[in-house]
Amino acid sequence: MVVPSLKLQDLIEEIRGAKTQAQEREVIQKECAHIRASFRDGDPVHRHRQLAKLLYVHMLGYPAHFGQMECLKLIASSRFTDKRVGYLGAMLLLDERHDAHLLITNSIKNDLSQGIQPVQGLALCTLSTMGSAEMCRDLAPEVEKLLLQPSPYVRKKAILTAVHMIRKVPELSSVFLPPCAQLLHERHHGILLGTITLITELCERSPAALRHFRKVVPQLVQILRTLVTMGYSTEHSISGVSDPFLQVQILRLLRILGRNHEESSETMNDLLAQVATNTDTSRNAGNAVLFETVLTIMDICSAAGLRVLAVNILGRFLLNSDRNIRYVALTSLLRLVQSDHSAVQRHRPTVVECLRETDASLSRRALELSLALVNSSNVRAMMQELQAFLESCPPDLRADCASGILLAAERFAPTKRWHIDTILHVLTTAGTHVRDDAVANLTQLIGGAQELHAYSVRRLYNALAEDISQQPLVQVAAWCIGEYGDLLLAGNCEEIEPLQVDEEEVLALLEKVLQSHMSLPATRGYALTALMKLSTRLCGDNNRIRQVVSIYGSCLDVELQQRAVEYDTLFRKYDHMRAAILEKMPLAEQDGPQADEEAKESKEAAQLSEAAPVPTEPQASQLLDLLDLLDGASGDVQHPPPLDPSPGGALVHLLDLPCAPPPPAPIPDLKVFEREGVQLNLSFIRPPENPALLLITVTATNFSEGDVTHFICQAAVPKSLQLQLQAPSGNTVPARGGLPITQLFRILNPNKAPLRLKLRLTYDHFHQSVQEIFEVNNLPVESWQ
Amino acid sequence: MIKAILIFNNHGKPQLSKFYQPYSEDTQQQIIRETFHLVSKRDENVCNFLEGGLLIGGSDNKLIYRHYATLYFVFCVDSSESELGILDLIQVFVETLDKCFENVCELDLIFHVDKVHNILAEMVMGGMVLETNMNEIVTQIDAQNKLEKSETFIFQSPRQDR
């Protein structure tokens, strides 16, 4: 009994008639059952129809794997109808991940060698779509034979199949390289198109092939010239441009061949100029050719005039009303921005205009290009534009925009205040999208800009008062308020209008941050620490702070609880040390792009073994002469930072940095100066945990009969090194071997530059003022290598 | 290289899907859904280019699409293809369909999806552009259809098919 089968159209009709997804599933499942039965029965007449239906439901997403074997049977059939559907099925259902695909290799081989042209075409098409490496290796000889057959229909397909084969099995390049030269002489556009694609693939894979094909450059130029100057032909032209697809392919190949090769570039110059000036740009096809020409001109070694022409064409396209053209222009400019930066800079205003596009694709491209165009001269204007963009851009671009702005600000910030303002603005606008280290960078930046402490804390306080949801902003603001709370309350800052802030308001705000459900645990940590620091900065009593701290002693979050308990202990048992511990933090060393997180969170920068009292003022102006004397380099003498003394053992776990003195490295001491019994000695220490750091202890001894008083030692180092002078132990060296003065120099030398040191001594000795300036010679090599 | 060619209607129902790189069936369906999702969000007067969805390779690939009445024609390509060239290719494809079906409309594409595959196979092969001359393509398709017809002629049988 024959099961009557639906035609494909009828099945489609039924599926479309289904009102719901469930109904559609029902129809399809019923039909698939029929199809499966028909396959089992092995009905050869209608097999092709059954498979066609199966392929349709496969497209809709239903399982069709049981049709794989049927594809094989259909391909092996002698009827063209069967083969057509069979090969289509093979392309859609079989791929190299299923072993079954190898079974069609034999059928393909037969069809390639003995089939009629349409059949050969089918086989080649299938091979080029799903042919695996094994299949390609097996069938390469057949395909090679077909390359030189008379029929252009088969030849053009064979050529593209060859491209696929080379992609799968690169060794086959040697098989398909020789015929190319002959194929280039063909007139048929399909064959030419395929050949150019094949040559391009060969050149991209092997430098030897690239060299080999450079000799066809004149021929390619000729073909392109013929296309360009040919009159209107209905055959291949699209809107009046002759075969733009072939033109574009040739231009791409010329680009690859002319890159970094003077001679080939020379051959192409005239033609490229001709195409660039003569192509009709009123329709899309002409523009496609023109763009490709521009990209080729910029990539090869072309004449300067031609390059200028090319960039100007792109600039013109940026102003085109057609959005597609503008998109491609932006993409092309992005490719050129590295190599021809100044040329692209000229079009910066137009690029910035494109930021305001409503089209998301265009604004994304404009954003990338704008970020690439920021440099030190246009940074202020560009940042303004980019920040305006950040406020209104679609959410998926926010993260890229924010990190782009922060990076550019880091590289090109004209002033620190501008930098701080910019980061602040980004944090308030797009706080949730910034990178994790933005907080660390900003605190480092603010910490280093002492003149801006009051300004920063005021602005951050205002921002925090408005909105406590943006976590990075809250964290930085909490840190700042903690550190510089006294400046906040002092109320005077010339740069923004005076604001009277009440102590209670500040505490209330920090408490709000602590309690808010929007705050992350890390943020809470910041807020709690800030509150604690304020206990020393504020003048009122600390009951409120103590209360908060003791509440959090039973907080569920372990980290917060630990901190709160410690702070509480600090209040109760170690109150005498509280002020010293909570003093302002010194600037953390910045070893690399990541700032030291522990240095921020701990209250101690215990890299030095010596505690020092608050230092004297350096005489910066007198140092300038000293600095001038070091040729070409001027040292940077910073005043020694205030140091917190080491706390007691109860808070040891807060210290993530070692507080034991570093073990001395065996560098020999150096006597650098002697005059009338006054000697100066240098001893060197390189702590093993910090190879860039050098500690020099300067010891001034006096074996003469007269005291040395008002002793001051100053130092300068080359620009690539960083120098910090600690305060000396005193100003007087008593006579006859009295207690020497010691002073510690800290030198950071991350680049291991040769160490040079110039010293300037002034003191009174034997009722005379002595001033000595000299460079230290014979510095041991171990001190800087 | 062209990675995939998709045609779907305004509701996301696929009318043709051809992939030139191996993807599992699930991935293929997901790609169709994702592409429809990205393309349907676009306004009418924006450019025809989009970043590719994550499944099909992310920002290294582009979706180049054209919207004709109720159908979206989407070509997913990598960076080696000329964007404006692909736009023209889509146009050539549609015009060829028009010639083969005589004033093609959506229903033609729906009911004769196998024929659309055959036409496409004459234009794009293995992810590369094969032939753009409409007349050549149409001539070939006509010859193949004749061949099919001649075979059914031989196989006409007394069985009644529904």
Side-chain angles (χ1 to χ4, degrees), chain A residues 429-622:
Chain A
T429 328
T432 40
H433 298 276
V434 296
R435 266 190 351 235
D436 293 331
D437 58 356
V439 172
N441 285 344
L442 184 54
T443 46
Q444 175 79 11
L445 187 62
I446 293 179
Q450 202 186 18
E451 67 279 11
L452 292 171
H453 285 168
Y455 172 75
S456 313
V457 71
R458 180 64 49 72
R459 286 215 54 194
L460 282 167
Y461 177 78
N462 288 341
L464 188 62
E466 274 183 32
D467 174 17
I468 61 167
S469 63
Q470 308 255 40
Q471 295 303 296
L473 179 65
V474 174
Q475 288 174 2
V476 179
W479 183 84
C480 259
I481 293 175
E483 277 291 296
Y484 311 120
D486 48 335
L487 294 173
L488 177 63
L489 295 167
N492 46 355
C493 170
E494 321 83 58
E495 293 172 340
I496 44 183
E497 68 278 3
L499 170 72
Q500 210 39 39
V501 178
D502 203 358
E503 276 184 24
E504 295 299 312
E505 286 174 4
V506 177
L507 295 179
L509 186 58
L510 284 175
E511 280 170 35
K512 192 165 141 197
V513 169
L514 260 179
Q515 288 156 9
S516 162
H517 62 280
M518 293 185 280
S519 300
L520 295 173
T523 314
R524 289 216 174 91
Y526 274 97
L528 192 61
T529 310
L531 268 176
M532 200 50 202
K533 288 187 201 169
L534 283 178
S535 72
T536 53
R537 315 265 198 271
L538 303 185
C539 326
D541 64 18
N542 292 325
N543 284 333
R544 188 165 175 175
I545 298 178
R546 291 188 69 159
Q547 228 180 340
V548 173
V549 162
S550 62
I551 289 175
Y552 276 85
S554 44
C555 172
L556 281 177
D557 183 291
V558 177
E559 166 80 23
L560 270 182
Q561 188 189 98
Q562 188 169 15
R563 281 179 201 239
V565 167
E566 286 152 18
Y567 296 159
D568 200 41
T569 318
L570 199 55
F571 269 124
R572 283 190 285 113
K573 291 209 270 184
Y574 296 96
D575 206 42
H576 54 283
M577 294 167 73
R578 189 164 48 88
I581 293 178
L582 297 175
E583 260 191 40
K584 290 224 173 64
M585 285 170 49
L587 188 60
E589 304 295 350
Q590 195 164 29
D591 301 313
Q594 325 90 304
D596 208 357
E597 281 284 37
E598 284 109 34
K600 302 252 170 319
E601 305 246 354
S602 78
K603 298 198 201 63
E604 150 100 12
Q607 282 173 339
L608 303 160
S609 50
E610 290 181 48
V614 176
T616 54
E617 286 287 319
Q619 284 101 355
S621 51
Q622 287 158 305

Side-chain angles (χ1 to χ4, degrees), chain A residues 249 252, chain B residues 1-2 77-83 86 127-129:
Chain A
Q249 283 292 84
R252 271 186 65 214
Chain B
M1 178 180 165
I2 300 174
V77 304
D78 66 12
S79 49
S80 69
E81 297 289 337
S82 153
E83 290 101 344
I86 296 290
M128 298 168 276
V129 178

Side-chain angles (χ1 to χ4, degrees), chain A residues 59-79:
Chain A
M59 177 180 75
L60 293 179
Y62 294 89
H65 48 274
F66 53 89
Q68 284 173 2
M69 284 305 153
E70 306 305 312
C71 296
L72 301 179
K73 293 184 197 155
L74 284 168
I75 292 173
S77 151
S78 55
R79 292 177 52 192

Side-chain angles (χ1 to χ4, degrees), chain A residues 2 5-6 8-10 12-13 16 24 45-46 49 56 58-61 79-81 84 88 91-92 97 116 118 124-125 128-129 153 156-157 160-161 163 167 188 190 193 197 235-236 238 243 245 248 252 284-285 287-288 291-292 323-324 327-328 359-361 364-365, chain B residues 1 13-20 22-25 28-29 42 45-51 62 80 82-85 87-89 92 107 110-114 117-118 121-122 125-126 128-133 135-136 140-141 144-145 147-148 151-152 155 159 161-162:
Chain A
V2 171
S5 60
L6 288 174
L8 173 63
Q9 285 80 8
D10 299 331
I12 297 178
E13 183 104 41
R16 277 165 63 81
E24 176 186 294
V45 177
H46 297 109
R49 178 187 290 171
Y56 182 79
H58 172 254
M59 177 180 75
L60 293 179
R79 292 177 52 192
F80 179 71
T81 317
R84 206 182 204 183
L88 180 61
M91 282 194 275
L92 294 176
R97 291 166 306 153
I116 52 174
L124 287 167
C125 185
S128 71
T129 306
Y153 174 71
K156 72 185 183 190
K157 291 203 170 186
L160 281 191
T161 310
V163 179
R167 286 188 182 150
H188 187 271
L193 190 61
T197 313
E235 284 289 296
H236 282 96
I238 311 245
D243 206 344
F245 297 98
V248 164
R252 271 186 65 214
N284 190 55
N287 289 324
F291 264 116
E292 213 62 39
R323 286 202 162 82
N324 292 333
Y327 178 92
V328 186
D359 180 347
S361 301
R364 177 190 289 271
R365 286 272 165 273
Chain B
M1 178 180 165
K13 195 108 187 179
Q15 312 290 14
L16 180 123
S17 69
K18 189 74 196 274
F19 291 89
Y20 294 98
Y23 295 103
S24 75
E25 268 87 21
Q28 287 184 2
Q29 288 298 315
R42 305 279 286 169
N45 51 356
V46 296
C47 68
N48 297 88
F49 309 117
L50 263 183
E51 305 287 295
K62 290 203 184 58
S80 69
S82 153
E83 290 101 344
L84 297 178
L87 272 184
D88 272 331
L89 187 65
V92 170
L107 287 178
I110 293 174
F111 281 102
H112 298 283
V113 67
D114 50 340
H117 266 291
N118 295 334
E122 294 299 322
M125 209 177 83
M128 298 168 276
V129 178
L130 171 68
E131 180 65 67
T132 55
N133 181 349
N135 293 333
E136 279 231 18
Q140 265 304 319
I141 296 288
Q144 288 173 12
N145 289 344
L147 199 49
E148 268 204 28
E151 284 178 345
T152 54
F155 265 91
R159 258 201 305 252
D161 295 355
R162 184 160 53 90

Side-chain angles (χ1 to χ4, degrees), chain A residues 124-199:
Chain A
L124 287 167
C125 185
T126 307
L127 184 53
S128 71
T129 306
M130 47 75 70
S132 64
E134 295 95 346
M135 285 172 72
C136 291
R137 261 188 278 264
D138 280 338
L139 296 166
E142 267 69 30
V143 175
E144 196 195 344
K145 266 184 262 167
L146 292 176
L147 279 181
L148 301 165
Q149 266 207 351
S151 153
Y153 174 71
V154 176
R155 284 168 85 179
K156 72 185 183 190
K157 291 203 170 186
I159 297 171
L160 281 191
T161 310
V163 179
H164 174 86
M165 287 180 148
I166 292 175
R167 286 188 182 150
K168 286 287 178 191
V169 185
E171 297 84 56
L172 289 174
S173 309
S174 49
V175 171
F176 292 116
L177 196 145
C180 289
Q182 190 182 347
L183 287 169
L184 263 187
H185 287 104
E186 294 296 323
R187 298 293 205 85
H188 187 271
H189 282 221
I191 295 183
L192 279 177
L193 190 61
T195 310
I196 307 278
T197 313
L198 178 58
I199 298 178

Side-chain angles (χ1 to χ4, degrees), chain A residues 25 29 93 138 178 207 271 274 300 308 312 319 406 455 499 553 570 587 636 653 658 704:
Chain A
R25 242 198 312 270
Q29 272 167 358
L93 296 181
D138 280 338
L271 176 62
Q274 188 180 2
I300 65 173
V308 169
N312 288 345
L319 300 165
L406 290 178
Y455 172 75
L499 170 72
L570 199 55
L587 188 60
D636 219 0
H653 63 274
S704 70

Side-chain angles (χ1 to χ4, degrees), chain A residues 728-777:
Chain A
S729 61
N731 295 100
T732 307
V733 193
R736 296 190 210 96
L739 184 68
I741 296 174
T742 54
Q743 191 172 12
L744 186 65
F745 295 171
R746 297 185 65 202
I747 295 180
L748 267 182
N749 186 2
N751 302 325
K752 299 204 186 297
L755 176 64
R756 294 173 66 186
L757 186 64
K758 234 175 177 129
L759 293 177
R760 181 180 192 263
L761 307 176
T762 54
Y763 57 90
D764 290 349
H765 193 208
F766 295 130
H767 310 292
Q768 279 179 324
S769 305
V770 177
Q771 184 185 300
E772 291 277 339
I773 302 176
F774 56 90
E775 184 169 1
V776 177
N777 300 317

